[in-house]
Amino acid sequence: MYYVAEVNEADCAKYNCKQCVLFCPEPNTLMYHDKNHVAWVNFPRCKGCAICVYVCSDLLKRNCIQMVMVKAGD
Amino acid sequence: MGLEYVRISPGFEKYMPKDYVDLVQYGQFGKEVDVQQLGQFKELVEEHPMCAGCFMAYFIRVFYAALPKPEDTIVIGTAGCARLALSQAAVPFIYGNYGDTNAVASGLKRALNIRFPNKEKDVVVMAGDGGLIDIGFGMTMHSWFRRENFTTIMVDNEVYGNTGGQESGMSPKGVQLKMAPKGKQFEKINAVELAKTAGCVYVAKISPTNPKRIAKTVRRAVLAAREFGPTFIHAYTSCNIEYSIPTEKVLEDARKREKQDFGFYEWMTDEVKEFFEQLERAPQEVKA
């Protein structure tokens, strides 16, 4: 069991901001969908640092990302 | 190295690993990408074992996206955290012995000039404060004295993070670390001024709070090294483990340090300044 970031796509799609993607330390992990204009997380690669939550909630006050617990096989 | 080595021979696509096929089809080989497009193309650096929330890993991620010609670049690193990610990228990586990165880079750059006289081949050294300013100090300085044409990037985490938290020359004065319980007795070394004095033609100091600015700085350092001489970037890349920074506060810490002692600083010689004025003005003139 460990934490990964999960994007609330409905909320995220309102903004078209992409700042979380630009500040994720991991490559090819927090991605951006060109057509839907939402960020999405490649879960197996997320290390759960929550910098994206800091960017989205603390800096931008948009609250579109939260950390969720995943289990092996999820 | 070179585009012809990166591309997959026709008919072999189905036998190659998916990540590699994605890299060739959706990666940045052979094209200029804007760092703002991160997350929309396959990045050069792959999964790596650096710690969660490591901002050195973040700097390295942006560094690779900023390389002007990754297919014609060789990166040199050494012992320290950075090599954990540098060795996982689709750009040739050479592991220098601790302290001799800039000597290896000097020989490599000269050899590339002889082997490929008509091609631009970039050499970039990326190592930590220990590798470049403590143990590698002599070879780093002498490569600058000799005006070697390559870029040196110091990812400064202000500690020997791999070996338990010993102080380095770049640790701030007074800081207490796990293996330096009395607190550091001396000032942090002023690497930027040393680089200027030693003959670097482009010198920058940066805290990774703005990806666009990191990319512009890296690009400028690589391009100036091609044409004029040694270039140096001093980047603050905190060690959240040894400095006990909660992972979600790492960016906040970088912003704080930017206001304190890591404000963006850029210096270049007059000829380099003139070079960039012409280079960076050119696309706008074409557009107009």
Side-chain angles (χ1 to χ4, degrees):
Chain A
M1 289 202 306
Y2 58 100
Y3 277 110
V4 295
E6 188 177 60
V7 178
N8 182 330
E9 294 194 358
D11 287 350
C12 180
K14 293 176 197 163
Y15 298 107
N16 193 19
C17 85
K18 211 189 155 189
Q19 290 301 308
C20 58
V21 177
L22 296 180
F23 283 100
C24 176
E26 298 302 314
N28 304 309
T29 301
L30 191 46
M31 308 298 285
Y32 191 74
H33 198 290
D34 298 2
K35 287 180 187 155
N36 298 346
H37 301 290
V38 291
W40 59 277
V41 179
N42 190 348
F43 292 127
R45 293 182 179 225
C46 178
K47 291 180 182 170
C49 68
I51 290 175
C52 51
V53 177
Y54 170 75
V55 171
C56 191
S57 299
D58 293 47
L59 288 184
L60 300 170
K61 314 288 182 204
R62 290 176 178 167
N63 303 316
C64 304
I65 308 178
Q66 57 178 340
M67 302 308 290
V68 296
M69 191 69 87
V70 291
K71 294 176 191 160
D74 276 2
Chain B
M1 59 188 291
L3 265 184
E4 62 273 31
Y5 292 100
V6 173
R7 290 193 181 120
I8 301 166
S9 302
F12 282 82
E13 290 87 352
K14 60 184 173 184
Y15 301 111
M16 298 299 287
K18 187 176 180 313
D19 276 327
Y20 191 80
V21 177
D22 284 351
L23 190 64
V24 175
Q25 285 182 349
Y26 310 112
Q28 62 187 95
F29 288 127
K31 27 184 143 131
E32 289 256 336
V33 297
D34 184 341
V35 73
Q36 305 275 55
Q37 291 172 286
L38 273 172
Q40 290 167 279
F41 61 88
K42 178 76 173 170
E43 290 170 56
L44 289 166
V45 61
E46 258 301 333
E47 280 184 288
H48 53 68
M50 292 181 83
C51 305
C54 176
F55 240 35
M56 191 183 289
Y58 173 65
F59 184 87
I60 291 169
R61 181 184 177 218
V62 180
F63 158 74
Y64 276 114
L67 282 178
K69 277 176 91 177
E71 63 276 10
D72 287 308
T73 302
I74 296 180
V75 176
I76 296 170
T78 186
C81 299
R83 71 28 167 119
L84 294 168
L86 297 175
S87 56
Q88 305 301 320
V91 172
F93 169 70
I94 295 175
Y95 189 103
N97 285 325
Y98 210 17
D100 74 1
T101 46
N102 281 38
V104 173
S106 304
L108 179 67
K109 180 66 188 178
R110 292 182 194 187
L112 288 170
N113 283 346
I114 294 167
R115 173 67 181 80
F116 303 101
N118 303 318
K119 279 188 177 178
E120 302 284 5
K121 298 284 182 186
D122 299 319
V123 173
V124 181
V125 170
M126 188 183 281
D129 39 322
L132 290 174
I133 294 291
D134 279 1
I135 296 163
F137 186 75
M139 296 206 196
T140 303
M141 293 300 285
H142 276 269
S143 72
W144 293 341
F145 293 148
R146 292 192 306 267
R147 313 292 304 268
E148 303 282 354
N149 284 69
F150 63 85
T151 301
T152 305
I153 300 178
M154 176 166 66
V155 278
D156 177 13
N157 61 359
E158 305 185 317
V159 66
Y160 285 85
N162 268 208
T163 48
Q166 294 82 5
E167 69 177 42
S168 82
M170 300 305 293
S171 305
K173 187 178 182 184
V175 72
Q176 271 187 315
L177 295 158
K178 285 177 195 157
M179 301 283 272
K182 284 171 68 182
K184 194 184 172 205
Q185 308 287 309
F186 313 101
E187 294 289 346
K188 184 178 174 81
I189 297 169
N190 192 339
V192 162
E193 290 302 320
L194 280 171
K196 282 163 70 175
T197 307
C200 286
V201 296
Y202 177 89
V203 177
K205 186 174 177 179
I206 192 167
S207 181
T209 58
N210 180 339
K212 208 169 175 179
R213 189 161 61 196
I214 303 171
K216 188 176 178 184
T217 308
V218 169
R219 194 180 144 79
R220 280 184 160 190
V222 172
L223 295 179
R226 266 186 207 167
E227 305 288 333
F228 300 102
T231 59
F232 175 62
I233 298 174
H234 178 187
Y236 172 64
T237 54
S238 63
C239 179
N240 55 312
I241 302 296
E242 294 301 336
Y243 278 80
S244 302
I245 306 166
T247 55
E248 70 276 14
K249 304 277 184 196
V250 167
L251 175 56
E252 190 181 332
D253 168 72
R255 286 160 63 92
K256 197 177 91 187
R257 288 297 298 272
E258 186 173 46
K259 284 180 191 149
Q260 278 176 11
D261 59 338
F262 261 92
F264 179 64
Y265 172 80
E266 190 180 46
W267 175 90
M268 61 193 97
T269 60
D270 290 341
E271 59 178 358
V272 175
K273 193 181 252 177
E274 198 178 315
F275 170 72
F276 284 127
E277 274 170 8
Q278 285 180 2
L279 189 78
E280 288 163 9
R281 194 173 49 210
Q284 289 166 1
E285 282 175 0
V286 172
K287 215 184 267 178

